[in-house]
Amino acid sequence: DIQDLNSALDQVDLVDIYRTLYPKSTEYTFFLEPHGTYSKTDHIIGSKTLLRKCKRTEITALSQTTVQSN
């Protein structure tokens, strides 16, 4: 439950920095080619002190390497 998560984060003085800076973001961060599906990983958890120092965050794509064995 999202309210339970937010409450737990608040109790330890943490916040989802990404969601605070981009509350309406709907972009996908991953495309799983074998399944043809999209997914999101867009939580960046940090202290409320850190949030005050952040102007923006960025999730960058990593290249995907296929490893083949003989």
Side-chain angles (χ1 to χ4, degrees):
D1 184 59
I2 194 71
Q3 290 177 332
D4 291 339
L5 175 60
N6 287 335
S7 177
L9 289 173
D10 193 48
Q11 288 177 15
V12 292
D13 204 32
L14 296 175
V15 66
D16 183 343
I17 294 171
Y18 186 88
R19 192 56 46 210
T20 300
L21 294 176
Y22 305 102
K24 296 183 183 207
S25 174
T26 58
E27 296 178 49
Y28 292 100
T29 48
F30 295 103
F31 176 70
L32 302 171
E33 193 168 334
H35 303 286
T37 59
Y38 293 91
S39 64
K40 293 170 43 165
T41 302
D42 58 4
H43 299 284
I44 299 174
I45 306 298
S47 70
K48 291 177 182 176
T49 302
L50 178 61
L51 174 62
R52 288 191 286 271
K53 296 179 181 183
C54 292
K55 294 179 181 171
R56 68 182 183 92
T57 62
E58 184 177 343
I59 298 173
T60 59
L62 298 175
S63 62
Q64 192 173 22
T65 304
T66 302
V67 177
Q68 296 178 346
S69 60
N70 294 332

